[in-house]
Amino acid sequence: MCQTRKVRAVKHVHHSSDLTQSDFLLFGPLKKRLVGRHFRTNAEVQEVFVKWLRDLGLDFFYAGIDRLVYRWHKYFNNRGDYVEK
């Protein structure tokens, strides 16, 4: 426990399918955006990616955070179990 703030550290589960980074909602929409496109250079890919990120609305990111919070609560309400019984 951190004495200065009285916060208890929670162990990170390394292989939890419920807490993967791909759940930030980026990879599915990005894949749809890039499907069928061909790029000559890495710089082209980076330019399209950065433009796509900038064009996303705040609601996109809020939805991703809400989803993470939901999964976090689900994980802890199941006492760390990945499957509801």
Side-chain angles (χ1 to χ4, degrees):
M1 179 168 295
C2 179
Q3 297 300 322
T4 59
R5 299 199 184 232
K6 298 186 184 204
V7 176
R8 190 178 79 196
V10 178
K11 287 185 180 181
H12 173 70
V13 180
H14 297 286
H15 300 289
S16 169
S17 60
D18 292 332
L19 301 172
T20 61
Q21 290 184 357
S22 62
D23 289 328
F24 286 111
L25 300 176
L26 282 177
F27 300 112
L30 178 60
K31 182 179 175 182
K32 287 179 185 176
R33 173 72 175 201
L34 298 178
V35 71
R37 298 203 49 191
H38 300 279
F39 303 96
R40 290 186 216 129
T41 64
N42 286 340
E44 282 184 63
V45 176
Q46 291 172 355
E47 182 181 326
V48 169
F49 177 72
V50 169
K51 182 182 180 329
W52 176 75
L53 275 178
R54 288 183 177 150
D55 290 344
L56 291 173
L58 286 178
D59 290 341
F60 178 86
F61 295 101
Y62 287 136
I65 296 299
D66 287 344
R67 217 167 143 196
L68 287 174
V69 170
Y70 168 78
R71 287 177 177 245
W72 184 83
H73 283 289
K74 182 178 174 183
Y75 171 80
F76 282 100
N77 288 336
N78 288 328
R79 302 183 197 284
D81 239 344
Y82 304 121
V83 180
E84 293 182 41
K85 296 176 183 172

